[in-house]
Amino acid sequence: MVSCLFGMNNNKKIITNKRKMNNYLYSKYVCVPVLTILMLSCKEQTEVAKKPNIIYILADDLGYAELGCYGQEKIETPNIDKLAKRGMRFMQNYSGSPVSAPSRCVTFTGLHSGHAYIRGNDELSERGAVGDHYVMLADSTLEGQRPLPAGTVTIPSVLKQAGYVTGCIGKWGLGYPGSEGTPNKMGFDFFYGYNCQRQAHTYYPPFLYRNEAREYLPNELLVPNTMLDNGADIYNEDSYAKYTKEVYSCDPMYDEILRFVENNKDTTFFLAWTTPLPHVPLQAPEKWVKHYVDKLGEEEPYTGELGYFPCRYPHATYAAMISYWDEQIGGLIDKLKEFGIYDNTVIMFTSDNGPTFNGGSDSPWFDSAKPFESEYGWGKCFLREGGIRVPLIVTWEGRIKGKTVSNHVCASWDVMPTLCELAGIGSPRTDGISFVPELLGKEQQEHDYLYWEFPEGQGMKAIRMGKWKGLILNIKKEREGNLLLFDLENDPNELVNVASEYPDIVEQMRNRMKEAHEESSLVVFRM
């Protein structure tokens, strides 16, 4: 009884003084009723104290409005929409970066891009022919991206110390094979999927990775950007047959997800499902493509002029990729219920950045970042709202109130402290703030500001302070550059620069940008 009392930590009154406790228990007025209440409370606290399983689902290039629950009208996502109905949907959540590798670095380390080690995609071209897929097939050391340094504190490494079994299934991108930054060396007990994001530029790869070793698939290598045969009829489906191989990579990855959950249903686990979907190329299972061809009707083919692979039905195929994945999410939830662990599993769904502009995906047609702009220069690769405002849905049956919409301003560097609090452990130093209070309907601490920097191209920086968004473009060309100021409440599309009207806000933003920035130890990421 005493140990149960001391273990309570549910924002209820905690009795820590033995004398006070004795007086409380043996009061002639409340002795028997209190004992009864405390016995019931102990049972309640034991249930609450059990650490939840955590499933972190990370989409690749999924736009803010590519889900039905965020306003999508053409793509069907009934299972993800159910997650939103069962939990909390965030309207002002941001990714760590507008491209893949740095966004994942920010998420897994909890450090924003002014402090993070990896701040841009970096293929380490000094290694050799890193762009030649035939050479990479023969030499695995040419795969992958710049690695996280040995000893980097990551979400899985922290949760492992709390007794979690950790798994990552999908795409990695934070350390090439054999480097110090592979998933297994960064805290994951199990990894299956693509180590290298360039290998993920086909959904029919010749191999995937099981932990540190390749697992070969019966797929012949077809190099990304392979065009249609000369003289091919672009309206004939048979002309595109070579872009479909035997094994669609997301099928075996999904099998491993279900196996990981089943193998660990009696333990406590953290699973990062880092799918490559819906990143181009446009490739999807035939069943779902046919569904959308019937729904959307005839369309012009994509013949490959914007990279990746040609596709006979580009709109139908892009929609198919998302609905296929939505179907898998529904299957995973069914398995959690079958194993009796759904109620004690936190599911967090988000995306690594906004929608892309290449490969035939046609983000403007889907209005993928609605209400923000989706065209090139406004989505992926840019610090505009369309490039970094992403969906976030969190469910935890019986703990998070269903159908809740949150306007809390948060970012992916908040994930580390949030998961640590859910796991009942202290968080390492991060730039984040746990949003567990928001999830549980309690008072939530807010950020003074959010900060991003992105060194690719001409370089850019952004800051969010309350309703204000500051943006500096072309930093490498102009150095300090002009700071553009937008009032997101009245101008969510960032069309009207009001910097000249609010010089005090501009000055505050510049000072905080300097405060948030640490010079990268890597020359490639300096601006």
Side-chain angles (χ1 to χ4, degrees):
M1 179 67 71
V2 174
S3 62
C4 177
L5 283 168
F6 284 121
M8 293 182 188
N9 188 6
N10 190 30
N11 289 319
K12 297 181 178 180
K13 185 173 182 179
I14 302 174
I15 303 172
T16 58
N17 182 283
K18 186 174 182 180
R19 180 176 297 173
K20 287 182 180 179
M21 183 175 68
N22 288 337
N23 290 339
Y24 188 79
L25 289 176
Y26 294 103
S27 164
K28 63 181 179 180
Y29 301 107
V30 294
C31 179
V32 174
V34 166
L35 285 172
T36 302
I37 291 169
L38 289 174
M39 289 175 67
L40 293 172
S41 182
C42 283
K43 180 180 179 182
E44 176 190 343
Q45 294 306 319
T46 299
E47 293 174 353
V48 171
K50 183 180 179 184
K51 296 176 181 179
N53 302 308
I54 300 169
I55 299 178
Y56 183 76
I57 305 176
L58 183 67
D60 197 339
D61 290 5
L62 183 79
Y64 182 75
E66 289 187 327
L67 306 174
C69 56
Y70 279 87
Q72 178 56 223
E73 298 177 352
K74 296 171 181 174
I75 304 171
E76 301 164 21
T77 56
N79 294 294
I80 300 172
D81 296 345
K82 286 179 184 177
L83 287 179
K85 290 179 181 178
R86 292 168 176 159
M88 183 174 290
R89 177 167 52 101
F90 287 74
M91 306 308 292
Q92 299 196 76
N93 173 68
Y94 291 89
S95 65
S97 178
V99 298
S100 186
S103 182
R104 290 154 199 266
C105 175
V106 168
T107 296
F108 284 119
T109 65
L111 301 177
H112 64 54
S113 50
H115 297 148
Y117 181 75
I118 294 173
R119 306 184 188 188
N121 287 332
D122 181 15
E123 315 301 344
L124 291 170
S125 59
E126 60 268 28
R127 290 180 292 167
V130 297
D132 189 321
H133 283 261
Y134 285 106
V135 175
M136 279 191 284
L137 183 60
D139 184 356
S140 64
T141 65
L142 295 175
E143 291 181 59
Q145 286 66 46
R146 180 178 291 277
L148 290 170
T152 298
V153 178
T154 64
I155 289 172
S157 67
V158 173
L159 292 181
K160 271 177 65 70
Q161 295 175 15
Y164 279 73
V165 177
T166 59
C168 179
I169 298 171
K171 189 181 91 171
W172 181 237
L174 294 173
Y176 57 85
S179 73
E180 57 193 16
T182 59
N184 297 103
K185 295 170 186 172
M186 286 292 117
F188 285 108
D189 296 309
F190 176 75
F191 172 72
Y192 187 79
Y194 295 94
N195 171 288
C196 172
Q197 56 197 35
R198 286 164 298 143
Q199 296 294 322
H201 290 173
T202 173
Y203 284 92
Y204 295 96
F207 59 85
L208 294 171
Y209 272 85
R210 183 177 296 277
N211 296 317
E212 301 280 348
R214 285 179 176 179
E215 183 170 279
Y216 287 90
L217 304 174
N219 295 330
E220 179 186 0
L221 172 63
L222 185 69
V223 174
N225 302 314
T226 297
M227 302 299 281
L228 290 164
D229 295 340
N230 289 333
D233 180 356
I234 64 171
Y235 294 100
N236 188 334
E237 290 185 47
D238 293 341
S239 299
Y240 302 83
K242 68 180 179 180
Y243 303 112
T244 300
K245 303 298 179 181
E246 188 169 340
V247 177
Y248 190 69
S249 62
C250 295
D251 287 340
M253 287 192 286
Y254 182 61
D255 291 341
E256 293 295 337
I257 285 166
L258 299 184
R259 188 173 296 114
F260 178 87
V261 170
E262 182 171 12
N263 289 344
N264 294 287
K265 65 181 185 296
D266 298 321
T267 64
T268 305
F269 64 82
F270 167 64
L271 171 63
W273 183 359
T274 57
T275 181
L277 293 165
H279 193 298
V280 288
L282 297 173
Q283 294 173 312
E286 183 179 13
K287 179 191 83 168
W288 277 107
V289 175
K290 286 185 175 180
H291 171 81
Y292 277 106
V293 169
D294 291 341
K295 177 179 179 176
L296 301 177
E298 188 60 40
E299 59 175 305
E300 286 296 304
Y302 166 66
T303 55
E305 58 274 11
L306 294 176
Y308 297 90
F309 294 133
C311 179
R312 174 59 190 89
Y313 300 104
H315 293 156
T317 303
Y318 188 75
M321 293 164 75
I322 295 175
S323 290
Y324 158 84
W325 183 41
D326 176 85
E327 183 180 40
Q328 290 186 327
I329 290 172
L332 172 60
I333 292 169
D334 288 343
K335 280 295 180 183
L336 294 172
K337 292 179 177 178
E338 177 186 327
F339 297 145
I341 58 176
Y342 173 73
D343 288 353
N344 197 45
T345 300
V346 176
I347 301 174
M348 190 175 293
F349 176 100
T350 189
S351 179
D352 66 349
N353 49 250
T356 194
F357 49 84
N358 55 9
S361 58
D362 203 357
S363 297
W365 190 82
F366 287 102
D367 209 357
S368 295
K370 183 176 64 176
F372 315 112
E373 302 293 328
S374 302
E375 287 80 6
Y376 176 77
W378 296 86
K380 179 180 179 178
C381 295
F382 293 85
L383 293 176
R384 297 285 189 173
E385 291 295 286
I388 53 177
R389 183 89 72 99
V390 291
L392 173 63
I393 300 167
V394 187
T395 66
W396 190 10
E397 198 74 17
R399 309 297 203 278
I400 299 173
K401 184 179 179 181
K403 298 181 180 179
T404 305
V405 177
S406 172
N407 281 306
H408 172 58
V409 180
C410 56
S412 66
W413 52 94
D414 295 328
V415 174
M416 169 85 86
T418 299
L419 298 192
C420 285
E421 184 169 352
L422 288 170
I425 57 175
S427 173
R429 185 188 70 82
T430 70
D431 294 311
I433 297 173
S434 169
F435 51 79
V436 168
E438 182 75 3
L439 296 175
L440 301 182
K442 302 182 185 301
E443 186 175 351
Q444 174 66 49
Q445 179 185 354
E446 302 292 338
H447 284 278
D448 292 333
Y449 62 88
L450 300 178
Y451 172 76
W452 299 262
E453 59 183 64
F454 184 55
E456 293 189 33
Q458 289 301 316
M460 61 190 76
K461 293 182 180 181
I463 188 168
R464 171 81 192 264
M465 288 172 39
K467 71 173 185 175
W468 300 106
K469 168 82 173 286
L471 183 65
I472 303 178
L473 304 173
N474 300 318
I475 290 174
K476 293 179 183 178
K477 185 179 292 184
E478 302 176 9
R479 296 313 301 163
E480 285 299 318
N482 293 321
L483 189 145
L484 309 177
L485 181 65
F486 305 102
D487 176 352
L488 294 181
E489 284 185 2
N490 298 303
D491 179 26
N493 283 322
E494 305 167 282
L495 299 177
V496 182
N497 175 22
V498 295
S500 62
E501 300 175 36
Y502 299 94
D504 54 333
I505 298 294
V506 171
E507 184 63 21
Q508 288 181 48
M509 286 184 163
R510 285 195 180 277
N511 290 336
R512 287 183 166 176
M513 282 181 162
K514 291 177 181 178
E515 169 189 291
H517 170 76
E518 289 180 0
E519 186 80 330
S520 175
S521 61
L522 303 170
V523 174
V524 68
F525 297 144
R526 293 177 186 170
M527 291 188 285

